Amino acid sequence: MADVCKNYIGGKWVEAQGGETFVSINPANKDEAVGIFQRSKTDDVVAAIDAAHAAFHAWSRTPAPGRAEIVLRVGLLLEEHKEELAILETREMGKVLDEGRGDVQEGIDMAKYIAGEGRRLFGETVPSELRSKFAMMVRQPLGVVGLITPWNFPIAIPTWKIFPALVSGNSIVFKPAEDTPACATKLVELLEEAGLPGGVLNLVTGYGLEAGAPIVEDERVRMISFTGSSAVGREIAAKAGRTLKKVMLELGGKNAMIVMPDASLDLALEGALWGAFGTTGQRCTATSRIILHEDIADEFTGKLVEHASKLRVGPGLDPDNEVGPLINEKQLQTVDNYTRVARQEGADILLGGHILTGEVYNKGFFYAPTIFGNVHYRMRVAQEEIFGPSVAIMPVKSYEESVQVANSTQFGLSSSIYTQDVNTAFRAIQDLDAGITYVNAPTIGAEIQLPFGGVKSTGNGHREAGTNAVREFTEPKAVYIDYSGKLQRAQLDVEQHGA
Ligand code: UN1
């Protein structure tokens, strides 16, 4: 029997008021329950917001270096528990163990990086137009922030939001995806162990409409940071608009890799395999379109099919496996449905295109690595995010056409070009409509010290990580200090020089 885990509200582990629970299962083995979690509803969310609201004053007055010490300590605890957490990730989310380790590492990196911000949180000082007057901008916390996170990076993405929010002095209501509450609970336990005062971070587990929506609707929550689908992002933005809160959205992607004829094809091949099938394609940065110059299209496609057919798919805890299961039954059906769509639209199914069956596979949600050939940019499989191990091959005649095709979707998260020509590389950096561009590397693998996010329907103009992180979780305050001892009127009492 799996453990029953609770919400964390006001520094106490508590049950949902309605008494209902739900089960988190292992996507590689549906019979294995990873844990039983609280099915939170509006009452629970309100209690969490009450607690965050009550804790905000004291926390926001704690000096930022002190707040950052706690984040650093969590980072060290994550390091200490890295293997155990990676195994939990693989059991709950499905990604292969090595990638589970990478996910935890990304959280450790974020802790170490953001802890340093406790001694920076840079403002600005600027000259005043008047004598004996000082002008500056300081950063202040927003208040209570609502963090709603996805299942695909169940440790890393919560840390991208929680750590900068804490160092910036905000208090938090945290609603993790219903598919990965065990990872979220473990992270919150470590925050508690690191000494985070009660009420500063509150965890409510449950479903989006029941436990997420009430956070978005509450006026006391001053910001929502959400990573997930564009459809849900639009709903959140519309709802949040009524309370005029800040909304930071990280949404879908349809990331393209361009391979030019002068590229190192072996390098591009390795990149394509990792970008398209790593994490079973369940990254918002996944390479889901490969745009091939016609001169190398056939050769590259042949090699890609050959190598992808050898990928070992299976439970992520077996170190021989390279591709794990999909997250759940619904996602398995969605991915399979896109294969039907590809077929109907006239694409070739060059590899895979089916649910895997057999003794091991029947227990989980396994899909064969899938390659669609001859995909036209207007096809749905070239336009819509699939979030699975399915990649579209799109031949083009020129660099110009490759950019047109790459930019032809509503999304703009990540992009990549393989070329040995420095001029082509720099042109692509300028031409690709995306928040991230890689040269000679696939579309996945962002590091936390640069901004993460995208253009067009991938977001709404915000960025996570990097120097943006604390900027997003603070409000700038302009401060004027007049030490002249008299009334000085800006714009009116300014000394005239020159003329
Ligand atoms: C995501 O897919 O939601 O850049 C995040 C990457 C990872 C983060 C992915 N560092 O692929």
Side-chain angles (χ1 to χ4, degrees):
M1 188 65 187
D3 288 346
V4 179
C5 299
K6 296 182 180 168
N7 285 336
Y8 184 64
I9 298 178
K12 295 199 171 63
W13 294 93
V14 295
E15 285 174 6
Q17 296 177 33
E20 288 177 69
T21 55
F22 66 98
V23 181
S24 172
I25 58 161
N26 179 346
N29 178 5
K30 319 175 218 202
D31 298 331
E32 183 191 331
V34 177
I36 299 167
F37 295 88
Q38 304 303 312
R39 182 168 172 177
S40 312
K41 307 250 171 97
T42 304
D43 290 353
D44 307 297
V45 171
V46 168
I49 298 171
D50 287 346
H53 200 248
F56 173 68
H57 185 83
W59 180 244
S60 64
R61 266 54 169 180
T62 303
R67 298 192 299 245
E69 279 296 320
I70 294 179
V71 169
L72 181 61
R73 225 171 292 146
V74 183
L76 299 177
L77 285 169
L78 283 170
E79 219 160 32
E80 205 180 295
H81 294 271
K82 181 171 169 181
E83 194 60 17
E84 172 201 334
L85 275 162
I87 292 169
L88 180 64
E89 279 215 23
T90 298
R91 282 180 60 220
E92 189 173 46
M93 182 277 169
K95 61 176 70 180
V96 296
L97 187 54
D98 218 18
E99 291 190 32
R101 294 184 184 114
D103 191 321
V104 181
Q105 186 58 46
E106 207 161 333
I108 297 166
D109 296 345
M110 188 51 119
K112 291 181 177 173
Y113 175 78
I114 281 294
E117 285 294 333
R119 290 186 185 271
R120 286 187 291 266
L121 274 185
F122 290 135
E124 290 168 15
T125 58
V126 291
S128 165
E129 64 190 33
L130 294 160
R131 288 177 193 259
S132 300
K133 190 176 172 192
F134 189 85
M136 67 179 171
M137 181 276 279
V138 294
R139 298 205 166 274
Q140 298 209 305
L142 297 151
V144 179
V145 298
L147 311 179
I148 305 177
T149 58
W151 46 262
N152 68 333
F153 277 78
I155 296 288
I157 293 181
T159 69
W160 295 2
K161 300 182 194 295
I162 291 172
F163 294 170
L166 288 178
V167 171
S168 302
N170 303 285
S171 57
I172 298 170
V173 178
F174 171 33
K175 206 299 274 177
E178 61 270 23
D179 287 295
T180 51
C183 292
T185 302
K186 191 72 207 168
L187 178 62
V188 173
E189 283 172 12
L190 296 182
L191 281 153
E192 185 185 33
E193 191 180 333
L196 190 70
V200 174
L201 179 137
N202 305 277
L203 168 75
V204 280
T205 55
Y207 299 98
L209 287 175
E210 294 174 354
I215 309 176
V216 176
E217 283 157 12
D218 198 297
E219 287 200 345
R220 293 171 298 168
V221 176
R222 295 317 306 149
M223 175 191 185
I224 296 291
S225 178
F226 169 77
T227 300
S229 72
S230 291
V232 174
R234 283 175 211 277
E235 289 295 315
I236 287 178
K239 242 186 211 141
R242 284 185 217 119
T243 59
L244 295 178
K245 57 172 63 75
K246 179 171 181 175
V247 184
M248 172 204 260
L249 302 172
E250 292 298 345
L251 309 172
K254 191 70 192 174
N255 315 292
M257 167 193 287
I258 297 171
V259 186
M260 296 302 290
D262 63 77
S264 156
L265 291 193
D266 289 343
L267 188 67
L269 181 65
E270 253 187 297
L273 289 164
W274 172 229
F277 304 114
T279 328
T280 322
Q282 299 174 111
R283 294 195 190 208
C284 40
T285 51
T287 305
S288 55
R289 296 178 294 154
I290 301 178
I291 301 173
L292 298 172
H293 192 281
E294 60 181 2
D295 292 356
I296 48 95
D298 287 347
E299 183 191 347
F300 189 88
T301 306
K303 282 189 177 166
L304 183 68
V305 170
E306 185 199 328
H307 282 81
S309 72
K310 292 186 192 140
L311 287 169
R312 290 180 301 270
V313 184
L317 285 178
D318 178 342
D320 283 342
N321 290 330
E322 297 160 288
V323 179
L326 290 164
I327 187 68
N328 54 34
E329 176 68 34
K330 184 163 171 266
Q331 196 51 27
L332 187 67
Q333 294 306 329
T334 301
V335 171
D336 197 36
N337 193 45
Y338 272 110
T339 299
R340 269 190 289 281
V341 169
R343 220 175 252 130
Q344 278 159 14
E345 287 183 313
D348 304 326
I349 313 298
L350 301 179
L351 183 71
H354 56 87
I355 293 171
L356 291 168
T357 53
E359 205 189 322
V360 172
Y361 293 142
N362 291 346
K363 289 188 184 163
F365 311 114
F366 291 97
Y367 204 76
T370 297
I371 300 177
F372 304 134
N374 241 336
V375 173
H376 187 272
Y377 78 91
R378 276 198 292 264
M379 292 180 181
R380 281 182 61 198
V381 290
Q383 291 290 333
E384 297 172 21
E385 184 173 51
I386 299 175
F387 231 62
S390 307
V391 65
I393 302 290
M394 311 174 75
V396 292
K397 292 191 165 32
S398 64
Y399 166 80
E400 285 73 17
E401 192 187 344
S402 76
V403 168
Q404 258 168 26
V405 168
N407 290 345
S408 67
T409 76
Q410 62 165 314
F411 301 110
L413 180 55
S414 187
S415 57
S416 137
I417 184 161
Y418 279 78
T419 176
Q420 304 283 3
D421 181 335
V422 68
N423 298 344
T424 309
F426 272 87
R427 278 177 77 190
I429 292 168
Q430 190 163 36
D431 292 342
L432 291 169
D433 290 340
I436 306 171
T437 295
Y438 291 89
V439 177
N440 293 330
T443 57
I444 66 176
E447 301 176 30
I448 56 86
Q449 62 275 27
L450 277 181
F452 184 92
V455 301
K456 302 196 278 185
S457 303
T458 291
N460 60 344
H462 299 278
R463 292 290 184 277
E464 296 193 82
T467 49
N468 273 71
V470 291
R471 225 173 283 159
E472 296 286 2
F473 283 102
T474 51
E475 295 268 19
K477 173 180 267 191
V479 182
Y480 301 94
I481 304 143
D482 192 320
Y483 55 99
S484 69
K486 59 182 188 224
L487 173 68
Q488 298 196 88
R489 298 172 305 170
Q491 293 89 43
L492 305 183
D493 297 333
V494 179
E495 291 167 32
Q496 300 298 318
H497 294 283

